[in-house]
């Protein structure tokens, strides 16, 4: 039997009332809770003012069963979530030793002196379930008080999200006795637009209610979010698998991964499976391709590194692109891209070389408009391909799109 | 004479409580109001439920002078902002003829039949100032009731913004008799933590009310937001300048820029002013330093490029770090970092070389924990410095922190 709990979310922070940031924490929390059938009855935002925080806490304690508070747990005078709750609850506080040790250790390791106000962050209510902060200093807390559940989370989104996933959701599921299981799956595609994808799947999308099917264009391709609701994990997974297969039978050629899998991690897996090592020669992308690949754990198995040859002399002297090519064809050319990819492959003794050359903008280069980009892929066996693209957007949009396209081309090449 | 009005913003809409959208309306309104010196005391979000909307309206009427409500003015059964306010105010409603005509005309033009519920949108409170909607159907309203100002706006951001600019801001300026100008300035610091900064400035922060002084930790350092309120732009600027100088006399050594200036754009400006060109040898950062510098327009004047020497053989063969150094000291060492910086400087014929070598993690390397990073800076004149750091966090947090530290060190070196 599941129990319906009145839940509300309170954000503490004057920066929200000044409009410096939007309350995306409340949005994210609401989305997560709704997945587990927990209804949020209201959001509130209050500034860093003890009296007003206390007032809203009193009201919340009257009207709700579960109160989630974000923000106001930091080290400074402005942070008064703890003080306000102490006033309305009259609960005692104590220093949480593991959290204090963590803070001290941080300052010790940094070699800087800890200012006294940092001690505030380690203070917790007696009897609270202390929620470990893996990403920052201040721990969170779950406090049961007069039959109400108070959940205190940091305002920093990364810290708040980690604690919610690790501790708050399991706690609330136990509290509600929720038996329906919600399972989501994200299918990721590259090389196909949203409207084309929707067109190919229109009958499936229209017919389905469970799982729901939601396509969404993103910066790095298109995703489809599947959400199934069932009485068991197994049943939910079965539903997801069935619809996934149906979708992939239509558009599987553009599919590269599920859930959080990124195109760079997919490329990483393919390189690793094929025991191939890659090196990049990057001009306008400035190291972005290599940087993204190296962001993945274990990158040393597949990525040797590369040369960022932003300057023409670096292309010539270090990378060895011939002066003749640069003189006759220019640096923004198919020929230059191919030489760059060939040379980086040889110089770093890689299996595959990839190169990026083009115009990031805003000004044209060698008569080419901003957005003109050549990407070449060469292998140690002499295999080679090159693509010319015209990207839209500002300087860094062009650079990001070129990098993404590089991953797409390598993916197509390896799959 | 300006009058301080207690203002609150209430958003009506279940989609907000389901986390489908963030309450960006409240953010935008707060930002606009703060520019005119109007303090927002709270935000609230409530679902499409008559009883709950009525309840929060009652509370708001008790506690605030100005209540801005967004959403719930549409044609459907879900839209109950009008009904809830009628219940608490007992004001009569009437059909607003110009709005009704506009709605009828729209359907006529579309050639579709108007469903009866569309009439709801044209209903306004007797005596209300009706706010014309240039972008959609439902008009807004300003209602004076028992000395309180109720402002009703559509939830669609475009419509809400237009009415706010055209009608709400002029109305509120008249109401407050506000002639004050609000000016903000952000001071940016690097190399100092939030708590240390606050400690150094605690007396200034505590003494000040105008400008207000708000320190805030961010991913890329610490900022202080100054907000001054004055009768003229000149006076506000003077206040900001005065407090800026006072703050910089204490912690100016960590200051790098104002407002939107980033540390990489500051480094870019310094390099450009000093006519110096830089090259980077990056191991664990994988190209991130170079990539960030190249993200700036005009980067070719200050950045030549670099070598991403993630693999040890690339450090040796391409960058020329001696086998002896790598054998005796390892790649995670002061000596390796210095050779990397010296060699990249020479190889690319740069004025300054910077290098990054260390352990991104999660696994230790050569007996060093994840987070151990050496950064070296060498110049063509043989000047050199090297720093050892211990960063906390996951693989990519460590890589980002190392990159940021690199910019910090170059900044210190050049300033």
């Amino acid at each position: 039997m599941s129990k319906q709990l009145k839940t509300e979310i309170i954000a503490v922070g004057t920066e929200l009332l000044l409009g410096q940031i939007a309350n995306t924490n409340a949005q994210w929390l609401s989305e997560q809770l709704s997945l587990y059938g927990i209804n949020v009855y209201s959001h509130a935002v209050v500034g860093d003012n003890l009296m007003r925080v206390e007032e809203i806490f009193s009201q919340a304690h009257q009207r709700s069963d579960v109160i989630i508070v974000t923000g106001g747990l930091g080290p400074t005078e402005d942070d008064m979530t703890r003080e306000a709750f102490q006033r309305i609850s009259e609960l005692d506080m104590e220093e949480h030793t593991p959290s204090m040790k963590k803070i001290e250790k941080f300052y010790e390791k940094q070699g800087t002196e800890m200012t006294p106000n940092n001690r505030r962050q380690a203070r917790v209510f007696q009897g609270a379930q202390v929620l470990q902060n893996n990403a920052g200093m201040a721990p969170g807390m779950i406090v049961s008080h007069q039959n109400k559940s108070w959940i205190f989370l940091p305002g920093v989104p990364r810290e708040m999200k980690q604690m919610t996933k690790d501790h708050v959701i399991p706690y609330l599921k136990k509290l509600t006795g929720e038996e329906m299981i919600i399972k989501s799956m994200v299918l990721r595609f590259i090389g196909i637009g949203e409207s084309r994808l929707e067109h190919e799947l229109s009958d499936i999308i229209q017919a389905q209610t469970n799982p729901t099917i939601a396509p969404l264009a993103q910066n790095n391709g298109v995703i489809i979010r599947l959400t199934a609701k069932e009485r068991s994990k197994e049943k939910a997974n079965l539903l997801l698998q069935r619809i996934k297969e149906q979708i992939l039978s239509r558009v599987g050629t553009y599919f590269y991964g599920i859930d959080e899998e990124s195109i760079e991690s997919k490329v990483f897996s393919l390189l690793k499976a094929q025991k191939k090592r890659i090196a990049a020669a990057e001009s306008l992308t400035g190291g972005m391709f290599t940087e993204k690949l190296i962001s993945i754990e274990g990158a040393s198995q597949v990525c040797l590194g590369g040369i960022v040859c932003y300057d023409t002399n670096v292309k010539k002297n270090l990378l060895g692109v011939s002066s003749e090519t640069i003189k006759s064809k220019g640096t923004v050319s198919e020929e230059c891209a191919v030489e760059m990819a060939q040379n980086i492959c040889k110089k770093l003794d890689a299996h595959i070389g990839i190169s990026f050359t083009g115009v990031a903008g805003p000004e044209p280069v060698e008569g080419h408009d901003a957005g003109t980009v050549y990407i070449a892929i060469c292998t140690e066996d002499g295999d080679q391909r090159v693509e010319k693209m015209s990207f839209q957007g500002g300087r860094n949009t062009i650079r990001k799109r070129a990098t993404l396209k590089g991953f797409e081309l390598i993916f197509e090449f390896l799959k």
Side-chain angles (χ1 to χ4, degrees), chain A:
Chain A
M1 253 289 287
S2 95
K3 189 183 151 199
Q4 190 51 59
L5 296 171
K6 266 193 141 177
T7 301
E8 71 173 281
I9 301 172
I10 300 171
V12 181
T14 299
E15 66 278 16
L16 290 153
L17 296 181
L18 290 171
Q20 289 165 2
I21 51 171
N23 191 5
T24 54
N25 281 347
Q27 181 193 8
W28 186 86
L29 279 165
S30 298
E31 200 182 6
Q32 294 297 308
L33 296 181
S34 80
L35 283 177
Y36 294 96
I38 297 166
N39 289 340
V40 176
Y41 279 68
S42 66
H43 296 170
V45 177
V46 62
D48 302 315
N49 172 297
L50 188 55
M51 203 188 71
R52 286 199 283 274
V53 178
E54 197 185 329
E55 192 186 319
I56 201 159
F57 280 9
S58 292
Q59 290 172 3
H61 197 70
Q62 297 302 317
R63 69 190 167 205
S64 298
D65 302 307
V66 176
I67 302 101
I68 303 180
V69 182
T70 59
L73 296 180
T76 73
E77 292 291 325
D78 276 356
D79 295 297
M80 42 191 67
T81 293
R82 284 186 203 82
E83 286 63 28
F85 185 66
Q86 190 171 38
R87 286 194 180 204
I88 73 150
S89 69
E90 297 182 350
L91 290 173
D92 285 334
M93 296 192 82
E94 60 193 11
E95 190 168 285
H96 184 244
T97 314
S99 296
M100 196 58 234
K101 280 202 173 132
K102 193 177 158 191
I103 296 170
E104 285 169 345
K105 210 170 151 191
F106 172 83
Y107 280 94
E108 210 178 290
K109 233 178 162 175
Q110 290 268 308
T112 54
E113 203 191 332
M114 189 189 82
T115 52
N117 53 6
N118 276 287
R119 295 204 91 84
R120 290 167 57 99
Q121 296 188 86
R123 285 166 65 218
V124 299
F125 291 98
Q126 276 183 8
Q129 178 186 341
V130 179
L131 313 180
Q132 200 189 313
N133 188 339
N134 296 337
M137 299 280 201
M141 280 176 272
I142 298 178
V143 183
S144 287
H145 177 58
Q146 295 171 345
N147 231 356
K148 307 291 172 111
S149 296
W150 282 82
I151 301 173
F152 299 99
L153 301 172
V156 179
R158 198 167 42 124
E159 303 176 14
M160 181 278 296
K161 288 179 186 178
Q162 171 247 312
M163 284 185 204
T164 301
K165 285 179 182 164
D166 293 353
H167 306 291
V168 177
I169 297 287
Y171 171 83
L172 290 176
K173 277 176 80 172
K174 216 167 146 188
L175 205 64
T176 55
E178 180 58 69
E179 282 165 27
M180 285 303 262
I181 297 285
I182 308 279
K183 291 279 286 180
S184 271
M185 180 189 273
V186 172
L187 306 179
R188 298 183 173 272
F189 300 86
I190 197 163
I192 184 171
E194 186 189 7
S195 54
R196 169 114 225 129
L197 189 82
E198 257 196 63
H199 182 75
E200 298 287 343
L201 302 173
S202 61
D203 56 320
I204 304 183
I205 293 174
Q206 272 162 36
Q208 281 296 330
T209 53
N210 186 26
T212 56
I213 305 175
L216 189 67
Q218 295 199 320
N219 285 335
N220 51 353
V222 185
I223 65 164
I224 296 178
R225 180 183 292 274
L226 308 174
T227 308
K229 195 168 180 176
E230 266 296 348
R231 298 199 76 79
S232 76
K233 217 201 275 190
E234 291 68 29
K235 280 188 183 167
N237 280 336
L238 199 68
L239 274 188
L240 292 176
Q241 280 307 324
R242 214 180 284 153
I243 199 79
K244 179 188 161 197
E245 277 160 31
Q246 210 185 341
I247 290 170
L248 296 195
S249 72
R250 306 255 185 109
V251 288
T253 181
Y254 306 103
F255 172 74
Y256 70 85
I258 62 168
D259 295 336
E260 293 307 303
E261 194 168 18
S262 61
I263 184 68
E264 51 266 28
S265 67
K266 180 67 187 183
V267 164
F268 166 79
S269 305
L270 287 168
L271 287 167
K272 194 176 159 187
Q274 298 176 25
K275 294 196 191 337
K276 288 198 170 134
R277 304 221 287 175
I278 195 169
E282 303 190 55
S283 182
L284 84 156
T285 49
M288 203 189 280
F289 178 88
T290 315
E291 193 281 302
K292 280 198 184 297
L293 203 49
I294 290 179
S295 72
I296 297 160
E297 251 182 74
S300 59
Q301 297 162 72
V302 307
C303 181
L304 294 156
I307 291 177
V308 180
C309 48
Y310 196 55
D311 190 80
T312 302
N313 282 328
V314 180
K315 289 188 186 73
K316 281 199 277 194
N317 303 339
L318 189 65
L319 189 55
V321 177
S322 77
S323 301
E324 183 48 38
T325 301
I326 290 175
K327 214 168 145 189
S328 64
K329 307 289 181 181
T331 59
V332 183
S333 68
E334 197 175 303
E335 290 79 2
C336 184
V338 169
E339 272 191 53
M340 284 167 65
Q342 283 172 340
N343 293 6
I344 197 70
C345 189
K346 269 183 233 148
K347 272 198 186 287
L348 266 66
D349 197 18
H351 302 103
I352 303 171
I354 183 168
S355 71
F356 300 81
T357 184
V359 189
E363 297 307 317
V365 172
E366 300 171 3
H368 302 280
D369 286 341
T372 309
V373 178
Y374 290 88
I375 304 176
I377 296 175
C378 296
T379 68
E380 52 172 354
D381 311 321
D383 202 357
Q384 75 181 52
R385 58 191 67 188
V386 58
E387 289 231 13
K388 180 186 180 178
M389 259 79 53
S390 295
F391 296 113
Q392 299 293 310
R395 178 177 177 85
N396 288 315
T397 303
I398 289 169
R399 297 173 63 240
K400 280 178 196 158
R401 288 187 174 158
T403 303
L404 182 65
K405 190 73 189 177
F407 280 106
E408 182 185 326
L409 294 177
I410 288 281
F411 168 64
E412 275 172 15
F413 179 77
L414 294 170
K415 77 183 177 188

